[in-house]
Each structure stands twice: as structure tokens, then as C-alpha cells.
Amino acid sequence: LTRREDLLGLNHVALDVTGCIPRPSDDGGAAADGTACALYQLREWMDDLNDLSVETFGRTVRVALEPTKRIVGREVYEMAFVYDADGTLLELLNHSGTLGQEVESGWTPWDGRGFVQ
């Protein structure tokens, strides 16, 4: 599954962990809008989560896909995939920020023609 990222689809639960990741009030310019910290992001949060899991349950967090950045429209997200204790695939999302420039969708409007009837 993790060798073919294109197969990651609707067969998982997505969790927005943005509110769980501490944000500094003044990050020295790492993020103009205060939505990201250059030193503590999803990877570091997952490391802390793993430490807590080992301490509490004696088990490590099974990572299916390491954190990567994705741009969706103007929004920038970090995403990773992990397995829960039952083997269910979980997507972890961290909103990293918003791009300052406009981003075109890339979709071409359909004129209603072109399908075989």
C-alpha cells in the first residue's frame, strides 16, 4: 500500500491534528501568519506521540507513510499515515499555512459537449 501512494483513497480515517501541535506566538519570522513553526511540525509531534505510546502501552506507532507536504488550492498541509492498534489506516493532517498568491484550479470548465451518446 505505501509503495503505491496513489492507492491511498477512501479506505482510511483523516484526523486534523493542527490544534494539537504547539504554535509559538512569535516564531522569529518562520511563518508570517503564525500558522507554522519551523522547529516543531508533524514529524516532531509524531515522535512525541510515539514516545508517549511506548511509555503508556509499550508499543511504537506504526508509520505507513512519513510526513510530506501537500498543497491543496492555497492551503499547505503536512500529511502522514499511521496504523492504529487494530490496523486501521489513519491520515494525520497539519495545516502549515496559506500561500500568499492566488492559485488557479487547473480545471477546464466543461461546455457540456464531448460525450458519446
Side-chain angles (χ1 to χ4, degrees), residues 27-79:
D27 60 6
D33 61 0
T35 59
C37 172
L39 301 177
Y40 193 89
Q41 296 183 5
L42 185 59
R43 169 78 268 159
E44 290 74 25
W45 183 81
M46 288 175 58
D47 289 343
D48 288 348
L49 179 68
N50 187 62
D51 292 345
L52 181 61
S53 178
V54 169
E55 179 182 311
T56 306
F57 305 109
R59 299 188 67 174
T60 60
V61 174
R62 292 183 355 190
V63 177
L65 187 65
E66 294 290 337
T68 60
K69 293 243 184 200
R70 300 277 189 230
I71 298 175
V72 181
R74 292 179 57 199
E75 307 306 318
V76 180
Y77 292 93
E78 288 181 288
M79 60 178 274

Side-chain angles (χ1 to χ4, degrees), residues 59 62 82-90:
R59 299 188 67 174
R62 292 183 355 190
V82 297
Y83 294 103
D84 75 359
D86 296 321
T88 301
L89 193 59
L90 303 173

Side-chain angles (χ1 to χ4, degrees), residues 81-110:
F81 286 87
V82 297
Y83 294 103
D84 75 359
D86 296 321
T88 301
L89 193 59
L90 303 173
E91 178 180 9
L92 304 176
L93 293 167
N94 175 36
H95 183 257
S96 296
T98 302
L99 299 176
Q101 71 272 15
E102 290 296 322
V103 177
E104 292 190 27
S105 72
W107 289 90
T108 304
W110 181 53

